[in-house]
Amino acid sequence: NRHTNRLISIVQDLITISKLEDQRIETQKTEIDFHDLIMSIITIFDTKAREKGINFKINIDKDIKDFKADNFKLEQLFINLIDNAIKYSDSGNIEIKITDLEDSVEIIIADQGIGIPEEDLPRIFERFYTVDKSRARKNVGTGLGLSIVKHIVNQHEGNIKVKSQLGKGTTFTITLPKET
Ligand code: ATP
Ligand code: MG
């Protein structure tokens, strides 16, 4: 059952990647209601988070103006980052902060989980890269989640940074430009 689930998860990730890379499926940019988007995603992870005693701290600027993005792809981005934040935490808060900067929108997703060793940080966005075998076995990761996130950020001509401290937590900061 575990192996079947793993295969299903790999196949789903691969389908997502091939859809994202299919040039015929264009990026469909619309105005984004971050409040709606985040709330619907939090719902997906509610039970999982509660089981671990993890709380979400959400802080979204009101009336973010002139920002368009592909809603479906942004959902995927949040799903992958929040999935990691929960999977690689035993407790603590997950902070989701969205700030309206003049020419861009800044998205911060921060957890208080196990952290990522410094030497792995440059590679975590690579396909199939997972940090270590023991973690992977416990959490059954494919190593595709962050490569998908990076891909979506690139498609929006944005940029993603990660900061992490072992045993303290991890923070992802994404900036997506407004209309170019
Ligand atoms: P998948 O997302 O495909 O199910 P995965 O979670 O292992 O598998 P990625 O999401 O690409 O793969 O992440 C790559 C690796 O980076 C993970 O294996 C994990 O070790 C590490 N990592 C990612 N996010 C975090 C985080 N928030 N805290 C600690 N480690 C993380
Ligand atoms: Mg992942």
Side-chain angles (χ1 to χ4, degrees), residues 80-81 83-84 87-88 141-146:
N80 291 4
L81 289 173
D83 181 56
N84 284 347
K87 197 157 67 165
Y88 303 112
T142 314
L144 287 172
L146 286 179

Side-chain angles (χ1 to χ4, degrees), residues 124-160:
I124 55 169
F125 295 105
E126 292 175 16
R127 272 176 201 183
F128 298 111
Y129 191 82
T130 54
V131 168
D132 70 42
K133 293 284 173 282
S134 58
R135 278 187 176 189
R137 199 167 304 150
K138 191 175 156 214
N139 294 299
V140 200
T142 314
L144 287 172
L146 286 179
S147 72
I148 292 171
V149 169
K150 175 94 180 176
H151 199 80
I152 294 169
V153 170
N154 286 345
Q155 284 184 330
H156 287 83
E157 287 161 38
N159 125 59
I160 182 164

